[in-house]
Amino acid sequence: MSFSSFAQQSDSSDKAMQAKFPNQYASWAATSEQTERSDMLASYPAAIILWAGSAYAKEYHSPRGHHFAVADVTHTLRTGVAPAAGEKGLSASCWTCKSPDVPRLMNEMGVEQFAAKNFTDVGTEMKSVVYCTDCHVQGKAALALPRPHAQDAMNKVHLPFEKQNKTMQGSQVCGQCHVTYYFQPERSNKVNIPWIFGSTADEIEKYYDTRRFYEWIHPVSKTPILKARHPEFEHWSRSTHAQEGVGCIDCHMPQTQGTNGEAYTDHKVSKALDHFDQVCQSCHSSEQKLVKRLNEGKQQIEHKAREVEDLLVKAHYEAGAAWKAGASWPIMNDAIMAIRHAQWRWDFAMSSHGLYAHNPDEGNALLDKALVQVRYARNALTQILSMLEVKQVDYPDISSKASAQKAANIALDKLTKEKQQFIEEQVNKHWPEVSQHGY
């Protein structure tokens, strides 16, 4: 399969871009080589309990190259299958960051009208993976911000795209998608970035709490759960790198030279350390020292995260035991809200790819506060359980993905069979080729 077949713009348009920007095009095409990904639920099965009641407990993998964007969201169990006739399925908003066909459809239909469609209704329209026009003015090198939710967000913080400096513009282009968001229920589930009060975890939480918003009710603890979604842009924006004028492109898309000696931006988005001499050395004199520092920071964050997860799992089940014993909302409210807030900070930290490199200080602060909040919740629940004369709480087995999904009532075999049938009968026969890339 040729690289240009993935783009699926008109043949003439694709060939024109390849001819005009050959080095950039070839490096973009090389994201098809970035095939590796990890099963995050197998690595961190406690997350299945924390996300119980949501699609995230079904499947959650680490990201891979941009060329897999359409196929991965098509095949994941999280997007399920087509709903029965007359029923409302998953919103088409789930496509928002996967293809330049989304801004096209939003322009044709209207943003809310697009969001009101079912995810599976518009699968046949997703003809391109992440492509030039996701980040650039069509046919030009100039940067663009085509997604309405990103334009709206920057206006909320009084920093419209055209008034940003070069570093912010470059990072904001990435931040169209590498940012946290939610689906706005009163606006047909269109994508919205919750920055009314600001973009920190505290400020976003204030926005959600003010709105009494939640994504789902936890089936065990009855906690109204908030979900963070890869807030890399938010973490970067408050980092030392941002303060020094170093943005996403500087580290992950370094300047390099083609065979003709011409300088260009490498569009095979990759890890900064893969290009230490080009992107790190001006500030970090020793690669060995930097790697050691990053590894130590990662271990510290991972250790705290595992502790928060363990305590949250216990808190959810202690709350569940209290409800079964007859607890009422007036006595449970403080504990439930503490679970909500602790899990939000854990999620805001751990859903951000590369937090230990992007902003370890903020990551540690988030997890430290989450520890305080979940311990408060458990102390409150201990008193409630004692008052209700509950002698024993049955905690779930989270030693493996299989055991945790069993505890969360995830019928993995059934879900997988249904998904495979949908793929075979619909996707493979009727959807564009990009929806099958890598499977």
Side-chain angles (χ1 to χ4, degrees), residues 19-20 137 145 199 218 354 404:
K20 191 172 183 179
V137 175
L145 201 69
S199 66
H218 195 280

PDB file of all heavy atoms in Angstrom, residues 19-20 137 145 199 218 354 404:
ATOM      1  N   ALA A  19       5.233  16.872  -4.156  1.00  0.00           N
ATOM      2  CA  ALA A  19       6.201  17.544  -5.017  1.00  0.00           C
ATOM      3  C   ALA A  19       6.695  18.853  -4.406  1.00  0.00           C
ATOM      4  O   ALA A  19       7.878  19.193  -4.513  1.00  0.00           O
ATOM      5  CB  ALA A  19       5.566  17.813  -6.383  1.00  0.00           C
ATOM      6  N   LYS A  20       5.812  19.566  -3.748  1.00  0.00           N
ATOM      7  CA  LYS A  20       6.162  20.879  -3.188  1.00  0.00           C
ATOM      8  C   LYS A  20       6.970  20.755  -1.906  1.00  0.00           C
ATOM      9  O   LYS A  20       7.878  21.558  -1.650  1.00  0.00           O
ATOM     10  CB  LYS A  20       4.884  21.679  -2.929  1.00  0.00           C
ATOM     11  CG  LYS A  20       5.125  23.134  -2.590  1.00  0.00           C
ATOM     12  CD  LYS A  20       3.814  23.901  -2.549  1.00  0.00           C
ATOM     13  CE  LYS A  20       4.045  25.388  -2.281  1.00  0.00           C
ATOM     14  NZ  LYS A  20       2.764  26.142  -2.262  1.00  0.00           N
ATOM     15  N   VAL A 137      -2.158  25.843   6.489  1.00  0.00           N
ATOM     16  CA  VAL A 137      -3.046  26.392   5.468  1.00  0.00           C
ATOM     17  C   VAL A 137      -2.879  25.542   4.220  1.00  0.00           C
ATOM     18  O   VAL A 137      -1.760  25.180   3.849  1.00  0.00           O
ATOM     19  CB  VAL A 137      -2.676  27.858   5.168  1.00  0.00           C
ATOM     20  CG1 VAL A 137      -3.529  28.400   4.016  1.00  0.00           C
ATOM     21  CG2 VAL A 137      -2.838  28.720   6.416  1.00  0.00           C
ATOM     22  N   LEU A 145      -5.163  26.556  12.391  1.00  0.00           N
ATOM     23  CA  LEU A 145      -5.869  25.946  13.523  1.00  0.00           C
ATOM     24  C   LEU A 145      -7.301  25.640  13.063  1.00  0.00           C
ATOM     25  O   LEU A 145      -8.237  26.348  13.398  1.00  0.00           O
ATOM     26  CB  LEU A 145      -5.872  26.920  14.709  1.00  0.00           C
ATOM     27  CG  LEU A 145      -6.099  26.343  16.103  1.00  0.00           C
ATOM     28  CD1 LEU A 145      -4.911  25.501  16.540  1.00  0.00           C
ATOM     29  CD2 LEU A 145      -6.325  27.473  17.112  1.00  0.00           C
ATOM     30  N   SER A 199      -6.722  26.664  32.700  1.00  0.00           N
ATOM     31  CA  SER A 199      -6.408  25.332  32.181  1.00  0.00           C
ATOM     32  C   SER A 199      -5.699  24.422  33.177  1.00  0.00           C
ATOM     33  O   SER A 199      -5.234  23.349  32.806  1.00  0.00           O
ATOM     34  CB  SER A 199      -5.537  25.472  30.923  1.00  0.00           C
ATOM     35  OG  SER A 199      -4.264  26.028  31.244  1.00  0.00           O
ATOM     36  N   HIS A 218     -19.898   6.070  38.720  1.00  0.00           N
ATOM     37  CA  HIS A 218     -19.169   4.826  38.977  1.00  0.00           C
ATOM     38  C   HIS A 218     -20.151   3.783  39.511  1.00  0.00           C
ATOM     39  O   HIS A 218     -20.899   4.050  40.457  1.00  0.00           O
ATOM     40  CB  HIS A 218     -18.049   5.074  39.990  1.00  0.00           C
ATOM     41  CG  HIS A 218     -17.045   3.973  40.038  1.00  0.00           C
ATOM     42  ND1 HIS A 218     -17.263   2.805  40.725  1.00  0.00           N
ATOM     43  CD2 HIS A 218     -15.817   3.845  39.453  1.00  0.00           C
ATOM     44  CE1 HIS A 218     -16.218   2.017  40.584  1.00  0.00           C
ATOM     45  NE2 HIS A 218     -15.330   2.619  39.810  1.00  0.00           N
ATOM     46  N   GLY A 354       3.994  11.366  28.528  1.00  0.00           N
ATOM     47  CA  GLY A 354       5.290  12.009  28.729  1.00  0.00           C
ATOM     48  C   GLY A 354       5.321  13.057  29.816  1.00  0.00           C
ATOM     49  O   GLY A 354       6.160  13.954  29.804  1.00  0.00           O
ATOM     50  N   ALA A 404      -9.354  -7.866  36.799  1.00  0.00           N
ATOM     51  CA  ALA A 404      -9.950  -6.546  37.022  1.00  0.00           C
ATOM     52  C   ALA A 404     -11.172  -6.348  36.127  1.00  0.00           C
ATOM     53  O   ALA A 404     -12.189  -5.791  36.559  1.00  0.00           O
ATOM     54  CB  ALA A 404      -8.917  -5.454  36.774  1.00  0.00           C
TER      55      ALA A 404
END
